[in-house]
Amino acid sequence: MKRLCIVLICFFLISCQEVLYKNLKEQEANEIMELLISNNIEVKKEYIGGEFVTLYVDKDQFHTAMKMLKSGGYPKEEYKSIGDIFTADSLIPSALEEKARYIYAIEQNLSNTLSSLDGVLNARVHIVLPERDKKNEIISTPSASVFIKHNPRYDLKPVIPKIKLLVSNGVNEMEFDNVSVALFPANTPTVNKRVNRGPTAIKISK
């Protein structure tokens, strides 16, 4: 009887909620919950096996929550790994296809690394590899441009040299001075005073 009551309570709570996002990894789900709860939006977390999470909010707060998360850069973009990219569709890819995949793989790996920095909402790296003549001699130097959208509460200017060093070390023959970094503060909503209540987690038993 007690177990039935718990199930009915969980069902009642979920029925009053709107699905905000599902199939989130727990780290990102916790970041989203922190942002919403600090702005007086109650959010519930549901585990349905594995490492993925579904988040719920009250139906009358759904649109406010979505607008807030969009301004904050959530959900974050998923970057592909080298293994994903080099799963060739053709048995014998052309040299141009291989070069394009190689560049894209490096860009994705570097973008993924930069996106893990505190305050970074979105990161993109664009690489231009050197051109070579018929004798395979370099006729132009490689270069890279880095775009970073960040939370304005974080000052990333002091770490620009480290960002440039990371990118230049990640690409063959890339010079430090050939990496440019552009920082763009996001238009994030004002954070209200945190209310004295915590998130609710619902565990679904198998």
Side-chain angles (χ1 to χ4, degrees):
M1 186 67 180
K2 182 179 179 181
R3 182 180 179 84
L4 177 61
C5 291
I6 294 175
V7 172
L8 290 175
I9 292 173
C10 292
F11 177 79
F12 174 77
L13 290 173
I14 294 177
S15 66
C16 298
Q17 304 288 308
E18 186 85 14
V19 174
L20 186 65
Y21 284 113
K22 56 185 178 180
N23 295 328
L24 291 171
K25 291 187 176 180
E26 185 160 15
Q27 179 179 347
E28 184 174 14
N30 290 339
E31 292 175 4
I32 290 175
M33 293 176 71
E34 181 180 5
L35 174 61
L36 295 180
I37 293 172
S38 66
N39 283 272
N40 297 335
I41 296 179
E42 186 174 356
V43 57
K44 294 180 174 62
K45 178 167 62 174
E46 178 184 0
Y47 297 89
I48 312 181
E51 60 177 332
F52 297 104
V53 172
T54 297
L55 296 182
Y56 298 85
V57 295
D58 291 339
K59 292 182 178 181
D60 58 350
Q61 293 184 312
F62 177 80
H63 293 293
T64 302
M66 289 292 291
K67 184 177 181 180
M68 185 174 298
L69 293 179
K70 183 178 179 181
S71 299
Y74 290 99
K76 292 185 176 180
E77 179 179 355
E78 289 191 8
Y79 298 95
K80 293 184 178 181
S81 67
I82 291 180
D84 295 330
I85 296 166
F86 279 94
T87 302
D89 296 327
S90 58
L91 294 177
I92 307 177
S94 67
L96 183 61
E97 289 175 332
E98 285 289 0
K99 182 178 180 181
R101 286 177 176 174
Y102 173 71
I103 295 174
Y104 186 64
I106 296 176
E107 290 175 342
Q108 288 285 288
N109 276 345
L110 290 173
S111 297
N112 187 29
T113 300
L114 294 175
S115 68
S116 65
L117 295 176
D118 290 341
V120 173
L121 303 177
N122 187 277
R124 290 186 180 275
V125 178
H126 301 280
I127 296 171
V128 178
L129 290 183
E131 296 293 333
R132 296 177 181 270
D133 59 18
K134 294 181 179 180
K135 296 181 180 180
N136 202 33
E137 294 181 354
I138 297 176
I139 58 178
S140 65
T141 56
S143 61
S145 58
V146 180
F147 162 87
I148 292 180
K149 181 179 180 182
H150 65 96
N151 189 314
R153 292 181 293 169
Y154 290 79
D155 182 13
L156 297 183
K157 290 181 180 179
V159 299
I160 286 180
K162 293 183 179 181
I163 293 174
K164 296 178 66 173
L165 183 62
L166 185 148
V167 174
S168 62
N169 287 340
V171 183
N172 289 334
E173 302 175 330
M174 179 76 72
E175 296 291 337
F176 179 88
D177 292 335
N178 287 342
V179 179
S180 63
V181 179
L183 302 178
F184 295 88
N187 183 21
T188 55
T190 302
V191 177
N192 298 324
K193 185 176 181 181
R194 183 185 293 272
V195 294
N196 188 22
R197 62 183 181 185
T200 301
I202 303 174
K203 184 74 173 182
I204 303 298
S205 302
K206 292 184 177 181

